Amino acid sequence: MKNILLLVLVAGFATGCSTERILKIALNKNKPDHPFNPTGVPPEPDYALAGSWDTVQEQPVYLVDVFFLHPTTYLKPDGWNGPIADSSVLARNRMVRKVQLSAFYGTANLYMPRYRQATLYAFVDPETVGAQALTVAYEDVKRAFLYYLEHYNNGRPFFLAGHSQGSYLGKQLLKDVLQDETIRRRMIAAYLIGMEVTQQDTADFRGLPPCHAPGMTGCFVSYNTQEKGGFSLVRSPKETIAVNPLSWRDDEQYIPSSENLGALIGIGGTFEIIPAFTGARLDKGRLYVDKQFPYKKELNNGPNKGGLHNYHIFDYNFFYENIRENVRAQVAMYQKR
């Protein structure tokens, strides 16, 4: 599990709190040594080609789809945007399929495009320094989504899902393409996991609320996982909106570990489902897990070495079976509608 999850340590690193300086230092290794230059970005993906998709189900077998946007898997400082065929990116994307996209296995047809990701350093200041790199990434995602709708979707209901940088770009889709009501009404739900969603975001979503009941459709899920007192990635706790993945509600009630159907945890190269892994509660938009849970010592090494106790990289893993069950319940509810 250590290998996985360097890949995602934090595309949500936009922060205005006291940790900003720490984040800049941590991400400095990913900062390109040259200014952003539009002529220097990798070639634009052609989504008519199989090589521009990490996962594409050309022969669908389910009644619904998931359009999934992977997190940051380009960790080199070579450029502001990463090439889609970089060998290290492809290897990390395989792990994303295993521990994140797999939450939709057996329920939805799978579509995960490759895109020219922004370097992690772009998230130090996504409104100025990194804006151009993030725009390149978003334009790829937008073209991939439109291609998916035209050539693969065939009118089926779908989930929009992602993690970290993928959820950041998914938010932009909700504010842009998904304002089209003919498309929006086919969206079962949006899983914007590992990225803060603010009150302003929800205003820009124009009517898409946070989920507040199990199986609820026409809503979004967002949360960032940490331990109380741990390192926070949430920028604006007073205005951040989140959903507890153990109750699928947006209130601050503590949900005990007995409601955790199973975490997907990999230790020593073997993944297993561990029921009753951890409880969780929301507090001002942050999702806090229990102080003690299985393999805590092992999971606080690697990206969390030094006692950060931030579990952003395990946002899907810790609540894996609950996500799978809720996806199935949402499909059933949507079909009743």
Side-chain angles (χ1 to χ4, degrees):
M1 179 97 32
K2 294 176 185 176
N3 286 341
I4 70 190
L5 287 167
L6 272 174
L7 61 103
V8 258
L9 189 58
V10 262
F13 268 174
T15 178
C17 65
S18 60
T19 58
E20 182 174 4
R21 185 168 177 268
I22 299 172
L23 292 172
K24 286 184 177 180
I25 293 171
L27 292 179
N28 195 58
K29 291 182 179 180
N30 292 95
K31 183 180 180 180
D33 62 1
H34 55 275
F36 178 87
N37 182 349
T39 64
V41 299
E44 183 178 281
D46 178 355
Y47 291 105
L49 302 178
S52 296
W53 295 85
D54 200 277
T55 304
V56 61
Q57 210 155 324
E58 296 191 27
Q59 300 297 324
V61 295
Y62 301 106
L63 298 177
V64 305
D65 299 343
V66 58
F67 184 83
F68 191 93
L69 299 172
H70 64 76
T72 307
T73 54
Y74 173 67
L75 303 177
K76 298 177 181 179
D78 300 350
W80 287 94
N81 292 88
I84 65 169
D86 180 271
S87 60
S88 63
V89 166
L90 299 182
R92 294 183 184 109
N93 281 359
R94 286 195 291 272
M95 192 59 70
V96 170
R97 293 198 302 271
K98 187 169 187 176
V99 302
Q100 295 183 347
L101 181 59
S102 64
F104 297 87
Y105 286 5
T107 303
N109 306 304
L110 311 173
Y111 300 90
M112 187 168 85
R114 296 170 180 165
Y115 62 94
R116 292 171 295 176
Q117 309 162 52
T119 176
L120 279 177
Y121 191 82
F123 284 90
V124 169
D125 191 346
E127 295 178 359
T128 56
V129 178
Q132 291 172 294
L134 288 165
T135 296
V136 169
Y138 175 67
E139 289 302 320
D140 283 358
V141 163
K142 180 178 179 178
R143 287 185 300 103
F145 184 63
L146 292 174
Y147 189 91
Y148 153 76
L149 289 176
E150 182 177 356
H151 296 277
Y152 294 132
N153 175 255
N154 200 29
R156 289 185 299 275
F158 64 89
F159 290 94
L160 173 66
H163 186 244
S164 210
Q165 179 168 172
S167 292
Y168 176 90
L169 300 172
K171 287 200 307 180
Q172 311 314 309
L173 279 177
L174 284 171
K175 298 173 185 180
D176 182 10
V177 180
L178 281 159
Q179 292 300 306
D180 183 335
E181 189 58 32
T182 61
I183 303 172
R184 175 79 160 262
R185 64 172 172 251
R186 299 207 310 273
M187 188 183 75
I188 301 171
Y191 282 78
L192 306 174
I193 296 175
M195 177 55 56
E196 63 182 20
V197 175
T198 66
Q199 295 284 1
Q200 182 57 56
D201 287 327
T202 61
D204 294 338
F205 294 166
R206 298 182 188 176
L208 188 75
C211 298
H212 54 76
M216 179 178 172
T217 63
C219 57
F220 71 85
V221 171
S222 178
Y223 59 85
N224 287 275
T225 311
Q226 68 181 91
E227 183 182 308
K228 193 77 171 178
F231 189 74
S232 176
L233 303 179
V234 178
R235 180 179 62 183
S236 308
K238 291 184 179 179
E239 63 170 15
T240 301
I241 299 168
V243 173
N244 189 326
L246 294 183
S247 65
W248 303 109
R249 298 195 299 266
D250 57 350
D251 59 41
E252 296 191 349
Q253 178 182 350
Y254 172 73
I255 307 300
S257 61
S258 59
E259 298 300 310
N260 189 314
L261 301 178
L264 178 65
I265 300 299
I267 300 293
T270 301
F271 286 84
E272 60 181 295
I273 298 294
I274 303 177
F277 184 77
T278 181
R281 70 179 293 263
L282 296 173
D283 184 2
K284 297 180 180 178
R286 303 178 187 183
L287 183 71
Y288 292 117
V289 296
D290 292 341
K291 287 285 187 179
Q292 298 299 326
F293 51 78
Y295 301 113
K296 181 173 182 178
K297 181 178 178 181
E298 290 86 347
L299 299 182
N300 273 313
N301 287 321
N304 272 333
K305 192 172 183 179
L308 294 177
H309 301 287
N310 182 283
Y311 302 107
H312 173 83
I313 57 177
F314 303 110
D315 283 327
Y316 274 81
N317 304 68
F318 279 13
F319 311 102
Y320 184 81
E321 288 294 327
N322 292 77
I323 294 171
R324 286 180 58 78
E325 182 188 68
N326 197 55
V327 165
R328 290 190 290 265
Q330 287 173 317
V331 171
M333 182 64 70
Y334 185 90
Q335 289 172 338
K336 287 181 181 179
R337 269 176 41 196

